[in-house]
Amino acid sequence: TGDFYFNRVSNKIVAIPTKNLFIWSMLNYGQVDILGTDVNLDFSYRFLKKYEIKMFGTYSFQRSLDMTDETSKTYKNQIPYTPLHSGSSGLVFVTPWVSVFYTILISGERYTLGQNIPQNRLDPYTDQSIAVGNDFKLKKISFGIKLEMLNLANVQYEIVKNFPMQGRSFRIKLNFIW
């Protein structure tokens, strides 16, 4: 599937973190022109009746430009914390006993303030994860377990400036439905 869009937004509110992650400032951009596309791909293939491979991918291009004031230093600059390119993809191998998951998230460079200068630039990042798990049913009770390794490559990155994301981590998810 795919979408193409153009939006002209008046009074676009953008939240910007301050030195404290719990206190954010709101900026009002008088006019923002947004040109973009979103593309989604899904594929699955079942074989030997009980096995399946699933793949998915998403890509987003979003040019969000401040068009408020031609005399401003931020005129025609990408608005803060909005990457031009982003996406994700994944692969799942399903068996009757266990499912194995691999996912990757990608974000292009972003700017922390309206002026697109090197000092305001946040580097692009890639975050990969793997997981193993399955759901089971025993009479009227459904339960599942999933073991995950997040940030597989132990990449150091920031989604918000000066607040680094954690490195490699592990998580166990349990769910019960009765």
Side-chain angles (χ1 to χ4, degrees), residues 102 127-130 149-155 167-169:
Y102 169 78
D127 186 359
Q128 303 174 69
S129 298
I130 58 172
M149 182 187 302
L150 309 169
N151 195 355
L152 180 65
N154 200 29
V155 174
R168 184 179 302 118
S169 63

Side-chain angles (χ1 to χ4, degrees), residues 82-133:
T82 305
L84 191 61
H85 304 279
S86 61
S88 65
S89 65
L91 177 67
V92 182
F93 181 61
V94 180
T95 75
W97 311 279
V98 68
S99 294
V100 180
F101 306 83
Y102 169 78
T103 56
I104 183 169
L105 303 173
I106 299 167
S107 179
E109 70 179 24
R110 290 113 37 241
Y111 292 92
T112 59
L113 296 172
Q115 198 172 1
N116 295 171
I117 57 176
Q119 298 91 306
N120 295 336
R121 181 181 180 271
L122 277 179
D123 290 332
Y125 68 88
T126 302
D127 186 359
Q128 303 174 69
S129 298
I130 58 172
V132 176

Side-chain angles (χ1 to χ4, degrees), residues 8-12 27-32 66-69:
R8 177 161 283 154
V9 180
S10 297
N11 296 313
K12 175 143 178 77
L27 299 177
N28 184 341
Y29 284 89
Q31 181 178 315
V32 176
D66 176 8
M67 303 300 286
T68 306
D69 179 1

